[in-house]
Amino acid sequence: MRLKTKTMEWTGNSLRLLDQRKLPFIEKYVECRTHEEVAHAIKEMIVRGAPAIGVAAAFGYVLGFREHKNGDTKEWMKQVKETLSRTRPTAVNLFWALDRMEKVFFENLKNENLGEILEEEALKIAYEDIETNRAIGRNGAELIEDGSTILTHCNAGALATVDYGTALGVIRAAVESGKRVRIFADETRPYLQGARLTAWELMKDGIEVYVITDNMAGWLMKRGMIDAVVVGADRIALNGDTANKIGTYSLAVLARRNSVPFYVAAPTSTIDPTIKSGDEIPIEERRAEEVTHCGGSRIAPEGVKVLNPAFDVTENSLITAIITEKGVIRPPFEENIKKILEV
Ligand code: MRU
C-alpha cells in the first residue's frame, strides 16, 4: 500500500516530503531513503507540525529496519529509534508514533514478515491521522458560528499533518458544512508558519484569509473583530496545559481579556498521559539565526544575544475547550481528559 498527499508520499521505498522551508515560493519534494535522512528532515523542518513529524518518524523507523545488515536487530532498532527521537523534543506525537512502531517490532520479532508488518503499521498511523483530523473537524465545526472571523497561529493545517489539519481541519469542516468564515493568520515569527504556510494552504482551498503580524491580534480582539481563536498543539499535559508554537500563550491571555473563546484542536495522541502539568513539557530552543534574520536578510546587529524558544505553554485555565477526534473536552480538564483517554 502507498500513501500520497500534498505533504508526504510513501513510495514503498522512500518517504517524499514537501520541503516546507521553501514554501510558499517553491513546491519541491525531498526524498528520504534512510532513517537518518528522515531524522534530518524532521530536525531541519522540511517536515514539521506535531502529527506530521510523528508519521514521518514512523516511516523513518521502517526505513531503518530495512537498513539493518548484520548484528543484533534489537540493538540496531534501538539506535534507529534514538536517532529519530533526538530531532525535536516538544511534540509528543513523535515519541508516541515511535513507541507504537517499537511495540509492533517487539511483538513480531520472530515473524519473517516483520518488515511488511512495520510498513503496514506506519501506513496505519498515517491513514488514521487523516481520519482523526476529519473527526476533529466535525467536532470543532459545531463550535464555529456562521459568519465568524477566526484567528489561528502557526500552521496546524494539512501541512502539519498527513492531510486536512487539526485547527485548519476545524475551519475546513465549518466551510464544508456551509458556514461562512474568515481567517486571520498570525504571521508567527520567527519561522513565519502562518504567513508562509497557513496563508498558502487556505488560499489554495479558496478560504478567505488575512495575514496579520503577531502584534496585531490584541487590538483586533479589542475592536471585536475576532470571534474565536483556534490553534493546534504539540503536547497536552493531563491537566490540559498545552504546549504550542511560541506566541500561543500571549494569544490565550488576550483572548481571555477580551472574552474571545480560545480553542485547542488536537488528536488524543498529542495528550501526554505521563505528565501532570505543562511545567514538565520540554521546550525546544532553536538557532539564533531564525530571530536575527527574516527572509534570509539580517535584521538585528551582528553579535546580538538572542532567545529563541520555539514553543510556549498555555495553562488550562485560559483554554475554553480542547477539540479532539473523540469529542470536545471542557473543564475540569484533568477529570475530562482522563475520561476521554479511557474511551
Ligand atoms: O515548529 P513547528 O512548525 O513544528 O510547530 C508547529 C506547531 O506549533 C503546530 O501548531 C502544532 O504542531 C500542531 S500541528 C497540527
Side-chain angles (χ1 to χ4, degrees):
M1 204 169 43
R2 285 183 172 210
L3 167 89
K4 189 173 181 175
T5 66
K6 191 85 189 161
T7 311
M8 63 177 79
E9 179 185 2
W10 173 248
T11 66
N13 300 311
S14 63
L15 182 66
R16 294 182 77 240
L17 297 166
L18 179 60
D19 190 344
Q20 300 195 27
R21 299 168 306 178
K22 298 199 159 47
L23 292 175
F25 308 112
I26 299 168
E27 282 182 43
K28 182 177 165 274
Y29 284 81
V30 168
E31 187 149 16
C32 304
R33 292 189 178 83
T34 65
H35 75 283
E36 276 176 341
E37 285 173 2
V38 174
H40 175 261
I42 295 172
K43 201 172 176 56
E44 292 305 315
M45 292 174 73
I46 290 168
V47 61
R48 34 114 346 247
I53 64 177
V55 174
F59 285 114
Y61 194 88
V62 175
L63 292 170
F65 178 78
R66 291 183 186 173
E67 287 165 63
H68 179 249
K69 289 193 183 70
N70 39 45
D72 183 2
T73 328
K74 282 187 277 188
E75 199 44 49
W76 169 254
M77 290 313 289
K78 201 173 143 200
Q79 294 295 324
V80 167
K81 188 180 181 218
E82 204 33 41
T83 303
L84 291 161
S85 303
R86 256 192 277 106
T87 48
R88 299 195 68 192
T90 304
V92 78
N93 307 59
L94 176 73
F95 310 102
W96 171 86
L98 286 170
D99 285 346
R100 191 165 149 178
M101 293 301 292
E102 188 178 56
K103 186 163 177 274
V104 171
F105 169 74
F106 278 112
E107 281 169 1
N108 295 279
L109 257 185
K110 297 211 167 70
N111 195 318
E112 58 184 33
N113 299 321
L114 181 51
E116 287 89 83
I117 294 171
L118 289 175
E119 182 183 19
E120 270 167 36
E121 188 65 16
L123 283 162
K124 207 166 147 210
I125 293 176
Y127 281 107
E128 272 176 25
D129 180 62
I130 305 174
E131 284 310 304
T132 296
N133 295 336
R134 291 205 173 262
I136 291 172
R138 281 192 298 276
N139 293 336
E142 290 176 21
L143 304 170
I144 306 298
E145 282 178 28
D146 184 29
S148 48
T149 298
I150 299 157
L151 174 68
T152 189
H153 190 67
C154 192
N155 173 266
L159 291 167
T161 59
V162 179
D163 203 4
Y164 205 67
T166 56
L168 298 194
V170 169
I171 288 158
R172 287 195 165 96
V175 171
E176 284 162 17
S177 72
K179 290 177 182 165
R180 289 158 304 151
V181 292
R182 181 170 74 152
I183 311 306
F184 288 172
D186 263 348
E187 68 170 350
T188 320
R189 268 286 284 159
Y191 208 73
L192 303 175
Q193 288 94 330
R196 296 191 303 108
L197 310 176
T198 296
W200 181 79
E201 67 166 88
L202 289 181
M203 284 178 80
K204 271 193 183 280
D205 273 11
I207 297 173
E208 190 181 12
V209 56
Y210 293 72
V211 172
I212 61 167
T213 64
D214 300 332
N215 49 3
M216 293 176 187
W219 177 241
L220 298 180
M221 282 187 205
K222 192 173 168 67
R223 290 180 66 200
M225 290 172 71
I226 293 171
D227 301 298
V229 180
V230 186
V231 296
D234 287 88
R235 197 186 290 228
I236 301 172
L238 261 190
N239 70 349
D241 289 353
T242 295
N244 191 48
K245 182 52 55 194
I246 191 77
T248 302
Y249 167 65
S250 326
L251 282 186
V253 173
L254 288 166
R256 175 56 49 90
R257 168 80 186 177
N258 291 285
S259 307
V260 173
F262 185 90
Y263 299 116
V264 172
T268 49
S269 55
T270 302
I271 301 172
D272 182 349
T274 69
I275 58 167
K276 280 194 156 50
S277 85
D279 297 340
E280 296 169 65
I281 301 177
I283 300 295
E284 179 183 6
E285 182 78 25
R286 292 189 61 86
R287 56 178 85 97
E289 290 70 40
E290 289 179 1
V291 174
T292 55
H293 289 67
C294 193
S297 303
R298 173 172 280 282
I299 53 165
E302 197 105 36
V304 71
K305 289 181 184 154
V306 164
L307 293 177
N308 188 14
F311 301 94
D312 59 26
V313 176
T314 299
E315 64 252 28
N316 57 11
S317 61
L318 295 171
I319 299 169
T320 309
I322 301 172
I323 306 161
T324 76
E325 76 279 15
K326 293 184 179 172
V328 176
I329 313 174
R330 292 190 183 268
F333 284 116
E334 181 140 9
E335 198 180 312
N336 292 336
I337 284 176
K338 280 185 184 152
K339 267 190 214 154
I340 218 143
L341 288 182
E342 281 159 18
V343 174

